[in-house]
DNA sequence: GCTGTCCGGCTGTCTGACAGGTTCACGCTT
DNA sequence: AAGCGTGAACCTGTCAGACAGCCGGACAGC
């Protein structure tokens, strides 16, 4: 590990205190002069550390008043809507297929029960908007059951992006019932702990969804 | 609009120059004294602005040498270490391998030139921290060249997360030279527009990286 | 009770200084 | 001529002190 400068060390401490909640949102930090005394460094060092916190969006500093905590964690840029339909169709299989395989091996009993509930609810659901929400939950929960945070986050982002695209709702009318059957096959494989079959079922499902989307986009 | 402090103003200018690519990855910024003169402010102001850039992961500063650009894009919150090493090793091949294949088919001439520059710079780079930054840019640029925003964002996030894990630096000592050769093979395939070979080369590279990481984690 | 003023505290910035790391060229040695 | 060591020049890291401008609250006057 690289030797840290004093400014980096102070920044790390401040960041840890903010992210751990020890300094809650809205709290006012001690003055720069006080912090300098507390940490036994000069005010320049404190200012550079505070500037780092501000750059990450954790704090804001107001002239003459002080520095205040405004967030407990670094804000994630919202990238929703920046994905094109092609981006999503192209990327999804590479992420959701392996995730389904891992889910078959790692899912908990609770996750399995929830997946069953979701699939059951979708069968009887006619409201497209509700159905899309359930579908979203189905895919998101499989990703979570993969026990891999990367897959979990990416799938969540993809589903969010899809939910914001107008094509999605148009597609539902045609695909709703066909998807139900595909979902049941995916669920069965995950239930059986059969990773290979889960991957195949998810792959076929996404392929069908991609074709449906294509036909709408090119209509 | 809130009136900006001088430090914020300088930070905005620097950030814009880095993110626009006007200051390319690997470039060395002018010295703090020089920048102070250029912008007509004191060195303190420059240092605070640079500190902000560093906090966002855009630059690294080496004592006695200067400040260097290591990324032209702000890291997202995954920097928080929310991904485990296993998460990353497991997920990367599923994302970066197809991305490398697409990059071979879709890369622009500029991207190709930048990839060449990065690979060349890595060969002569001995500072692990700078090298990791260049490695990060290499993988991120391939993802961008895939012309798929999902891959682009996910890879950038993965690399950002890796860059902030202590295991990464430990690994570099062993893997640095081997990776250089693997990077050259990936670059060659992308240069030739050979998607299949690009996928294989990336797959082998990530496999080797995964093994190296494993051996460190289990040491 | 209301208002205006003043004071103490705080941030924003500047200046000057010094310690220690880094690079490179020059000159000396072999 | 090749290699090596050394010092100068440059760079970042940190410190101390200073001052202007902003802000909030106390306090006196109405």
């Amino acid at each position: 590990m690289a030797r840290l400068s004093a400014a980096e060390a102070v920044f790390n401490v401040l960041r840890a205190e903010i992210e751990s909640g020890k300094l809650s949102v809205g709290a006012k930090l001690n003055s720069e002069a006080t912090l300098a005394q507390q940490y036994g460094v000069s005010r320049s060092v404190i200012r550079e550390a505070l500037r780092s916190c501000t750059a990450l969006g954790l704090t804001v500093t107001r002239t003459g008043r002080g520095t205040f905590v405004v967030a407990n964690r670094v804000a994630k840029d919202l990238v929703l809507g920046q994905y094109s339909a092609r981006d999503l169709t192209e990327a999804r299989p590479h992420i959701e297929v392996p995730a389904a395989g891992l889910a078959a091996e790692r899912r908990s009993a609770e996750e399995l029960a929830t997946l069953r509930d979701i699939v059951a609810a979708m069968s009887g659901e006619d409201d497209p908007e509700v159905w899309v929400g359930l579908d979203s939950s189905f895919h998101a929960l499989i990703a979570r059951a993969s026990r891999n945070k990367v897959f979990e986050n990416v799938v969540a982002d993809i589903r969010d992006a899809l939910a914001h695209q107008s094509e999605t709702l148009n597609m539902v009318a045609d695909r709703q019932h066909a998807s139900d059957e595909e979902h049941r096959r995916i669920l069965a494989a995950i239930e059986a702990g059969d990773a290979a079959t889960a991957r195949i079922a998810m792959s076929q499902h996404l392929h069908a969804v991609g074709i449906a989307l294509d036909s709408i986009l090119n209509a």
Side-chain angles (χ1 to χ4, degrees), chain A residues 33-187:
Chain A
T34 305
L35 288 172
Q37 211 166 3
Q38 284 179 1
Y39 290 103
V41 295
S42 73
R43 210 183 129 208
S44 323
V45 169
I46 297 294
R47 278 186 64 79
E48 289 179 20
L50 289 177
R51 189 63 70 178
S52 295
C53 289
T54 299
L56 292 182
L58 297 173
T59 60
V60 295
T61 299
R62 290 192 218 270
T63 305
R65 294 185 56 193
T67 301
F68 302 84
V69 178
V70 295
N72 275 327
R73 54 194 294 268
V74 178
K76 175 177 180 179
D77 294 353
L78 284 193
V79 288
L80 304 186
Q82 102 181 68
Y83 294 148
S84 70
R86 195 210 64 177
D87 285 346
L88 297 170
T89 306
E90 188 171 82
R92 288 184 73 189
H94 295 293
I95 292 154
E96 298 203 38
V97 167
L102 292 174
E105 296 166 345
R106 300 176 180 168
R107 81 286 184 282
S108 71
E110 287 85 0
E111 285 160 349
L112 205 48
T114 307
L115 282 176
R116 282 196 206 98
D117 291 346
I118 291 174
V119 169
M122 290 177 83
S123 298
E125 185 55 62
D126 283 332
D127 184 330
E129 213 155 326
V130 175
W131 189 89
V132 167
L134 290 171
D135 181 55
S136 177
S137 300
F138 178 76
H139 286 267
L141 185 52
I142 288 177
R144 186 183 311 164
S146 78
R147 295 277 178 283
N148 186 307
K149 282 267 175 200
V150 177
F151 289 143
E152 182 178 336
N153 282 335
V154 177
V155 170
D157 286 348
I158 287 176
R159 297 302 304 176
D160 285 345
L162 272 180
H164 284 74
Q165 290 195 348
S166 53
E167 293 93 356
T168 307
L169 277 183
N170 295 336
M171 190 186 71
V172 168
D174 292 338
R175 287 282 307 154
Q176 193 161 340
H177 300 302
S179 284
D180 281 353
E181 175 53 30
E182 291 158 13
H183 286 160
R184 274 192 289 273
R185 296 226 304 277
I186 295 169
L187 171 60

Side-chain angles (χ1 to χ4, degrees), chain A residues 14-31:
Chain A
L14 288 177
R15 180 177 176 174
E17 287 188 351
I18 292 171
E19 291 183 340
S20 73
K22 193 171 164 187
L23 288 172
S24 55
V25 172
K28 177 181 176 304
L29 275 63
N30 291 334
S31 73

